[in-house]
Amino acid sequence: MEWLGLYNYWVVVVLMMTGFYVVIAQGNLIKKIVGLNIFQTSVFVFYISLAKLDGGTAPVYLEGTTAYTNPLPHVLILTAIVVSVALTAMGLALAVRVYEAYGSLEEDEINAQDEQDA
């Protein structure tokens, strides 16, 4: 039952496959943006899980401590979260613009209108 100790990696796999499925299977643009956010969250959890050091402490000098956890991956993930929020806002703004232009957020209806106009 050693694999149960790696539950964070199982969470990553479930989140990643859920996000991937939503992006592939859904035709609504808002649902695709939500799926991308779920996928991004799985990457964040994975990266932070890799950075965890068993027995490591915060990188503050303590008497008798020899193992420190590297803070760099956590800082990089904070930056990635900020970028993710900005990209989500941009994606939603584009979805609003697409809705104004086509009157729909469904891929099939948008493609049908494009083929009809061509």
Side-chain angles (χ1 to χ4, degrees):
M1 299 298 264
E2 184 177 317
W3 58 273
L4 285 175
L6 303 174
Y7 65 91
N8 51 341
Y9 295 108
W10 288 104
V11 169
V12 167
V13 169
V14 168
L15 283 174
M16 190 172 284
M17 291 300 105
T18 302
F20 185 66
Y21 175 76
V22 170
V23 169
I24 298 299
Q26 299 297 322
N28 189 305
L29 296 179
I30 300 296
K31 291 179 182 178
K32 285 184 180 287
I33 292 171
V34 170
L36 285 173
N37 280 325
I38 294 171
F39 194 91
Q40 286 176 338
T41 301
S42 73
V43 173
F44 299 160
V45 172
F46 178 67
Y47 198 64
I48 289 176
S49 295
L50 289 178
K52 174 70 174 106
L53 177 65
D54 287 337
T57 63
V60 178
Y61 179 73
L62 297 173
E63 193 69 38
T65 304
T66 58
Y68 296 103
T69 301
N70 187 1
L72 184 62
H74 303 285
V75 172
L76 291 174
I77 292 304
L78 284 175
T79 304
I81 290 170
V82 170
V83 171
S84 172
V85 169
L87 286 174
T88 301
M90 190 179 93
L92 291 172
L94 286 172
V96 168
R97 183 64 188 107
V98 166
Y99 184 78
E100 289 173 353
Y102 292 96
S104 175
L105 290 174
E106 296 294 328
E107 265 184 3
D108 296 338
E109 294 176 17
I110 294 169
N111 287 335
Q113 286 184 24
D114 276 345
E115 289 175 3
Q116 187 179 17
D117 292 341

